[in-house]
Structure formats: C-alpha cells, structure tokens
Amino acid sequence: MSSQAVKINKPSNLGDILLNWKLITPEKLEIALKEQSSLGRAIKRIGEVLVDLGFISEEDLLKALSYQLGFKYLTFSEFPKIIPDDSYPTMKFMKQYKLVPIGMENNVLKIAMVDPLNGYAINALRVFSGKSLEIFLSSEKDIMEAIEQYFGSSVQMTTIMEGMREEEIEAVDIGSEDVHHLRDMAFEAPIVKLVNMVITQAVESRASDIHIEPFENNVKVRYRVDGALNELEPLPKRLQAAVISRIKIMSRLNIAERRLPQDGRIKLRVSGRDIDLRVSTIPTIFGESVVMRILDRGSTFIILDNIGFTEETLEKYKKLIIAPYGMLLVTGPTGSGKTTTLYASLREINSADKKIITIEDPIEYQIEGINQIQVMPKIGLTFANGLRHIVRQDPDIIMVGEIRDIETADIAIHSALTGHLVFSTLHTNDAPGAVTRLLDMGIEGFLVSSSIIGVLAQRLVRLICSSCKAPFAPPQEFIDKIELETNITTYHGTGCEECRHTGYKGRTGIFELMIMTEEMRQLVLEKASADIIRQKAISLGMQGLRENGWQKIKQGLTTIEEVLRVTQEES
C-alpha cells in the first residue's frame, strides 16, 4: 500500500476503538450497524454512518481511523507549504480520488488522502511519479482546500504571469500599427497559455461572461457568476496588446482595427465540453475592452419544469404554449433568462408534426429539429425582413428573438392573427408593460388585444448555497419592506469553498404570468394604463414578481435581499 507509512499502533476494529475511547455507546453502535445494514455495506462504511447520524464528529472519525490504520492524521494547518511540481498529478485526478501531494523528501512523495486504502489511486501515483510514497490521512475539506489554494486555476494563472519575463513579452503601445508584431506576440506560448487559462477558469467557475477591461495601470479581468461580477487578479498593463490580439485572432477579428467595435465567435473544447464564446470588442480610452459570453453547447438544456415555475403557473403556461395560434411574449431586462425560457418552451412542444422556425440574434443554442436563422443586418437580413420570408415557409410555430421596432411587431402580430403561434421577447419591467409598449410603438389596440394570448415577465434570483445554508434573521429595514409571516424562518449562505464564499450557488426564475382574458382585452382596446391593466390581472389571479419571490423566500430557496434586488414594489 505505502512505501513508507507512519505507523502508530496495531490496527483494531473501528467500533471497538470508538467504544474504548468512550466516543459512542454500545447502543449507538448498534443503531449505526442496523442503519449500515439497511443501506448496504458497500455503500457506506460504519464510520461514515456514525458521522451522518451525528454520533461522532468527522475529526473523531479521522483520529480513530488514524489509530486503526496506522497513518498519521494531518489537518490543513499542518500541511507544509506546497510548491506545485511537474511530477504531481492533475487537479482532476486529485479531486476525483480526494488526495493532494504535500511535499517531497529524499525522493519520497508525501500524499494526504481521504481513503488511504484506495489501492488503485496509490498504484497510479507510484507509477506516475516513479517515486516511493508516504501516506497521510486527512479530511476531504482540508484536502480540497489545499488543492484549490495550491493548484487552483488562479494560482496557475499567477504562475504563468510570473514566468513571463519582461524581455519575452515586451510592452507594446496600444495604438501600435505594427500588426505583424502584434500577431507574433499573440502566438507566443505564454500568451496562448494565459488566455486559455482565463477561459478555462471561467468555465470551471460556471461564469456566463468574461470581461477584460483595460485601465490606465492594469487590465482588469472579471467573471459574471450567477449574475454577479467577481474580480480576479488584474493582468499587467504590458500584456494588454498581446492578450487582446490573441482573443481577436481566436475569434477571427481584424487585429489592425482598434477604432470600431467588432463582434466574433470562438469555438473550442474546455474540460471535455464544447464551448462557444460570443466575443464583443469596443474601443475605450485605455484600449479595447473585450466581453466574451460563454455558451456551453455540451450542457443539458433546462426544461420548463426546472426553471422555477410554481405548479399553478406552470400548468397555465403549458396550456398557452400549445395554443394553435396567437402571440406569447416573454419580458424582462437583459440577463433575466428570457432566451432560456423560450428555448425550454420550444423543446417542450417540438415534435415531428410541427414545423418550428426561429430568427435570432445570436443563435445561442442549436435545437435538433428546429430551423434556426441568424440575423445578419449587414446583408439586409433583419428581424422584420427575415420574418416576412419565414411566413412563406409554412411554419406552425415562429420564434422572433426580440421585437425591436414597429415593423417587426406588426409582422409578428399579423403572423399570430393568421394561424401561427408566435413567441418573442420585449424589454419591459413587468407583464402589463408589454401591452402598453406595443401600443406606444404605434400598433393598433384591436391588433394587440386580438393577437396576444399571454405575457410572461421574469427575473433571476440567486439560490442559497446548500452547503453553507443557515437560518438568518434579516435586518429590520428589510422586514419593514415585506409582508412575510412572522413565524417563518429565513435563510442565507454563510459562505464556503463550494460557493466561493458568496453564499449563493445557481439561480432560479421568479415569474408573473398575465393571461389575456376578455376583460383584459377590453382594457387594451380602451388603451388603459399599465397600472390599471396590472390591477385587473392581479384581481383575476396573477401572482406578481415580488409575490412569487416571497414564496421562494418562504421555501428557503433565496434571500430577501435577492428578491428586493431584482423586483420593484408592487402597487
């Protein structure tokens, strides 16, 4: 098992050790053995069962295992400072087998492991490193903390930058006209490695966007994770020209053009997943700012049942998306999940007996069996122009990425009135606002009232991290703003490695669904204000965005701060 193990005592039965140390009683051991028997011994060891039942702590278990197996137990604070080495295994291997190298001495590799009896991992390490091993026992939490601190992507990125000597990557004036020199720099191995690391780390962090922003003295790198921007270690100013040029070459943009905005796309494989990056550059006072939107083509599509609908709203919405004709609008600000909802809706109703055509800008995900068109204004393929031709393709269902002008709105509405089911989006604050927006565009009231069958408004709120979720009494100022029952328990995330100390991990939607009844259509014909339409919709059973948010607070899914952040007070 181990070339050099730190033996402490002769191994004995774990249950007996815990009994002798008076950490458990015979009755508790009997309960744990019965629980283990019901689960199956192959699924959980007795020590894990005792911890799960709360009879002993994880530290008690590790100390007992150390005594039983003869491996010295180390905590993270006792690990020596780890210096990454080429002979060490990959991060993926370390995380999979829950182990971390903690040093080398006299050609002996020291390894801390959760499971020192894992013969496969030990043999693989011995063959990979070509060295003798000294095995230590440690907790999973301490090992994962060590992996992140000493082998994490941020560390690797810092190491790459530290390894770039001034003479290798020289500073270049951001206005330099020497395109050939910029191209040569963009292909330098350290720059290639650095840009790849920025992208890889973003994907591993579940980021939706990468922001690379030049300032006077450095270049900021920020990731948007669960809707919030997180800042990383800035890049040295001298690397700006090379990094930006590298990204522009990858996305097939003109590296000589730095005065005008450009848009491009990168396709690559990261950690075994197919990733699309939608790249946008704009000129700023200190150079070109770059934003890369990450589109994970290998990810599983979200289905309607899992995006945050209440059972009642989901049932009503599913009835709308199987209507034979009419227009269904999804509204909300940029980044509120409108496109995700539309894709989930199309997947729900996609079948061999329906022809579905979409026109989008851009096409974020490809859906099997659906005809998708990319808007290309440079050659005259706009939403309006494309929509005119789509209706001649005999579609059953049409999705228009966004209604931006009266021409697109007019064609979409007439398509809905002539036997097509049309999906589209608008940028409005709430569901009633979509109706008044169309009227303000100049669409006749009778066309709006006749074509729209429903409007779904939505926002995204961050979910409390399940690994560090804890009861929490919110500040009085928040309590004063809401109408929650006084006897409910609210929660927040205390912050942990799993959520990168934010207290949140993942997002869910909050929704308000306004269905166009005859009473609502009459108000639209009368050109009633959005407030009057809203009051009528609520009286007919519409649940507002903030009310839906309160429901998710009561369920312990999100926090009061999140709901207040993304919604406005309802009248």
Side-chain angles (χ1 to χ4, degrees):
M1 176 196 302
S2 157
S3 301
Q4 295 181 29
V6 183
K7 294 289 180 182
I8 296 176
N9 210 328
K10 184 178 179 180
S12 57
N13 180 277
L14 181 65
D16 291 340
I17 293 171
L18 295 170
L19 286 169
N20 290 338
W21 290 1
K22 301 189 184 306
L23 291 172
I24 58 170
T25 62
E27 292 76 20
K28 287 183 177 179
L29 180 59
E30 186 64 30
I31 293 169
L33 287 169
K34 285 181 180 177
E35 178 70 14
Q36 184 193 31
S37 179
S38 67
L39 293 170
R41 287 178 182 273
I43 297 175
K44 282 202 173 179
R45 295 173 180 172
I46 187 64
E48 293 177 280
V49 176
L50 286 163
V51 172
D52 289 346
L53 291 171
F55 292 163
I56 60 172
S57 67
E58 186 182 13
E59 188 175 8
D60 289 335
L61 172 62
L62 289 166
K63 286 178 178 177
L65 285 172
S66 171
Y67 181 87
Q68 179 198 22
L69 302 174
F71 297 106
K72 187 176 180 180
Y73 167 56
L74 294 179
T75 62
F76 178 73
S77 61
E78 295 172 305
F79 289 177
K81 183 178 180 181
I82 302 169
I83 302 173
D85 186 279
D86 290 341
S87 63
Y88 289 174
T90 63
M91 270 187 71
K92 183 178 179 182
F93 183 89
M94 288 188 274
K95 286 184 174 181
Q96 183 175 350
Y97 294 102
K98 298 171 185 174
L99 55 86
V100 65
I102 56 173
M104 188 96 67
E105 191 176 338
N106 299 325
N107 211 37
V108 175
L109 182 60
K110 297 181 178 183
I111 301 287
M113 301 181 69
V114 170
D115 182 8
L117 299 180
N118 189 325
Y120 172 80
I122 290 169
N123 287 332
L125 278 171
R126 188 180 289 116
V127 171
F128 175 80
S129 65
K131 303 182 187 305
S132 299
L133 306 179
E134 184 175 0
I135 308 298
F136 295 84
L137 186 66
S138 190
S139 71
E140 180 177 346
K141 178 179 176 295
D142 286 343
I143 284 172
M144 292 302 174
E145 188 174 346
I147 291 171
E148 190 58 40
Q149 182 164 326
Y150 294 107
F151 299 92
S153 298
S154 57
V155 175
Q156 294 180 41
M157 196 151 67
T158 303
T159 305
I160 291 169
M161 286 192 291
E162 288 174 351
M164 293 179 182
R165 297 193 301 274
E166 295 282 346
E167 62 270 20
E168 286 182 331
I169 307 295
E170 59 186 281
V172 175
D173 179 20
I174 59 173
S176 171
E177 297 297 327
D178 191 347
V179 175
H180 294 295
H181 185 44
L182 284 172
R183 186 180 294 276
D184 289 342
M185 289 177 60
F187 282 100
E188 291 280 350
I191 292 297
V192 172
K193 208 170 185 179
L194 178 60
V195 172
N196 288 347
M197 183 57 66
V198 168
I199 295 171
T200 300
Q201 185 179 348
V203 172
E204 290 176 350
S205 302
R206 301 179 296 104
S208 61
D209 301 86
I210 304 169
H211 293 245
I212 298 177
E213 304 160 312
F215 290 92
E216 186 173 8
N217 300 314
N218 58 28
V219 181
K220 285 189 177 181
V221 180
R222 298 195 288 176
Y223 295 158
R224 189 177 295 280
V225 181
D226 292 334
L229 282 169
N230 302 312
E231 191 168 339
L232 280 72
E233 185 76 20
L235 302 178
K237 187 70 176 177
R238 65 189 176 87
L239 301 182
Q240 176 179 323
V243 168
I244 301 298
S245 295
R246 176 62 190 167
I247 294 169
K248 290 173 77 173
I249 286 171
M250 291 173 72
S251 49
R252 300 186 179 184
L253 299 180
N254 183 358
I255 64 171
E257 179 56 77
R258 292 183 289 277
R259 299 164 303 169
L260 296 172
Q262 295 187 69
D263 294 312
R265 202 159 188 145
I266 302 172
K267 289 187 178 183
L268 70 167
R269 197 166 178 82
V270 178
S271 302
R273 291 148 62 187
D274 290 322
I275 302 295
D276 276 358
L277 296 174
R278 198 173 79 216
V279 182
S280 169
T281 71
I282 59 167
T284 71
I285 188 172
F286 296 115
E288 288 178 285
S289 175
V290 178
V291 174
M292 293 181 274
R293 166 65 58 88
I294 299 172
L295 306 172
D296 189 349
R297 289 186 288 135
S299 65
T300 305
F301 275 103
I302 295 174
I303 61 174
L304 281 178
D305 301 62
N306 296 339
I307 63 176
F309 281 116
T310 62
E311 286 186 21
E312 184 181 358
T313 304
L314 180 61
E315 185 180 348
K316 291 177 181 177
Y317 185 74
K318 283 188 173 181
K319 285 180 181 177
L320 290 178
I321 63 175
I322 60 172
Y325 56 85
M327 185 156 72
L328 180 60
L329 295 172
V330 180
T331 78
T334 301
S336 60
K338 300 187 297 295
T339 303
T340 299
T341 299
L342 285 177
Y343 277 132
S345 303
L346 292 180
R347 281 175 59 83
E348 180 80 18
I349 58 179
N350 187 18
S351 61
D353 63 340
K354 292 186 179 72
K355 177 155 184 172
I356 303 176
I357 305 180
T358 74
I359 182 161
E360 308 170 56
D361 184 24
I363 297 172
E364 296 196 5
Y365 297 101
Q366 296 169 14
I367 308 176
E368 184 68 31
I370 292 179
N371 298 277
Q372 295 173 269
I373 302 168
Q374 170 69 54
V375 167
M376 287 184 277
K378 288 181 181 178
I379 60 171
L381 182 54
T382 60
F383 277 118
N385 194 24
L387 193 49
R388 281 196 192 92
H389 293 278
I390 285 174
V391 294
R392 299 172 193 160
Q393 289 280 310
D394 189 30
D396 297 292
I397 298 162
I398 301 169
M399 186 188 98
V400 184
E402 184 185 344
I403 292 177
R404 296 176 179 172
D405 51 54
I406 186 171
E407 189 179 10
T408 307
D410 190 56
I411 301 169
I413 284 173
H414 278 92
S415 299
L417 292 172
T418 54
H420 304 93
L421 179 60
V422 179
F423 293 88
S424 193
T425 70
L426 272 176
H427 289 278
T428 63
N429 290 327
D430 57 11
V435 172
T436 53
R437 173 66 57 85
L438 291 173
L439 294 173
D440 291 342
M441 279 184 177
I443 303 295
E444 292 292 342
F446 73 91
L447 291 175
V448 175
S449 66
S450 302
S451 60
I452 293 179
I453 58 174
V455 183
L456 180 75
Q458 67 178 78
R459 300 290 189 277
L460 290 175
V461 291
R462 291 181 290 175
L463 291 167
I464 300 168
C465 173
S466 58
S467 299
C468 59
K469 182 177 176 179
F472 174 69
Q476 189 61 43
E477 59 183 289
F478 289 153
I479 295 174
D480 293 341
K481 290 183 180 180
I482 62 176
E483 298 177 0
L484 289 173
E485 295 85 344
T486 55
N487 61 342
I488 73 158
T489 304
T490 57
Y491 296 87
H492 77 155
T494 57
C496 65
E497 291 295 326
E498 191 69 22
C499 62
R500 297 179 181 267
H501 301 284
T502 63
Y504 298 99
K505 187 175 180 183
R507 289 188 289 178
T508 190
I510 58 174
F511 304 91
E512 66 177 24
L513 178 61
M514 184 180 81
I515 297 172
M516 292 294 286
T517 62
E518 285 306 315
E519 294 170 89
M520 301 290 288
R521 294 184 199 283
Q522 187 58 40
L523 288 176
V524 174
L525 284 171
E526 294 169 4
K527 295 189 177 180
S529 69
D531 286 341
I532 293 173
I533 293 173
R534 178 174 194 81
Q535 289 168 11
K536 173 57 72 174
I538 289 173
S539 72
L540 293 173
M542 182 182 83
Q543 184 182 54
L545 283 168
R546 186 165 281 192
E547 188 184 350
N548 187 224
W550 297 157
Q551 200 167 340
K552 287 180 169 58
I553 293 169
K554 294 174 190 177
Q555 293 169 340
L557 296 175
T558 191
T559 62
I560 294 172
E561 296 94 320
E562 272 296 285
V563 173
L564 291 175
R565 179 178 68 86
V566 302
T567 63
Q568 58 187 7
E569 192 169 351
E570 295 167 1
S571 54

